[in-house]
């Protein structure tokens, strides 16, 4: 969150391959809010049980991307969401 604020980042991307994704994402949600950048586009990639996708979106994650997602798909998503 500090880096997002300091750099004025348009997107925060996280790659999580552990079972701690909900715990980590909850901490990121709190940190983004505390830094005043909760409206930053936030994407997460990794291995997630489908039953947890709604919980991740509820934390503010714009999209949850499985590990097999093509790079072009990620770039297209970001381009659609970030207008300059």
């Amino acid at each position: 969150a500090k880096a997002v604020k300091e750099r004025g980042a348009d997107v925060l991307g996280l790659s999580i391959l552990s079972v701690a994704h909900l715990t980590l994402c909850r901490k990121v949600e709190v940190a983004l809010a505390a830094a005043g950048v909760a409206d930053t586009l936030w994407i997460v990639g990794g291995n997630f049980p489908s039953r947890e996708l709604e919980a991740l979106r509820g934390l503010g994650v714009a999209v949850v991307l499985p590990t097999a997602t093509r790079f072009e798909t990620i770039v297209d998503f970001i381009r659609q969401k970030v207008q300059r």
Side-chain angles (χ1 to χ4, degrees):
K2 181 180 175 183
V4 167
K5 185 171 184 166
E6 287 177 354
R7 293 178 174 88
D10 294 317
V11 180
L12 169 61
L14 300 174
S15 176
I16 304 171
L17 296 174
S18 71
V19 295
H21 51 275
L22 279 175
T23 300
L24 294 171
C25 287
R26 284 185 187 110
K27 289 180 179 185
V28 170
E29 175 195 30
V30 170
L32 290 172
V37 291
D39 60 343
T40 301
L41 180 68
W42 180 18
I43 63 175
V44 176
N47 296 320
F48 307 98
S50 59
R51 68 183 179 277
E52 295 178 356
L53 297 181
E54 284 305 312
L56 290 166
R57 289 187 193 105
L59 294 173
V61 175
V63 67
V64 179
L65 305 158
T67 55
T69 303
R70 293 173 39 97
F71 185 72
E72 293 81 7
T73 301
I74 300 167
V75 171
D76 288 344
F77 179 83
I78 293 170
R79 284 187 177 148
Q80 288 173 5
K81 298 293 182 183
V82 176
Q83 303 297 317
R84 292 202 169 244

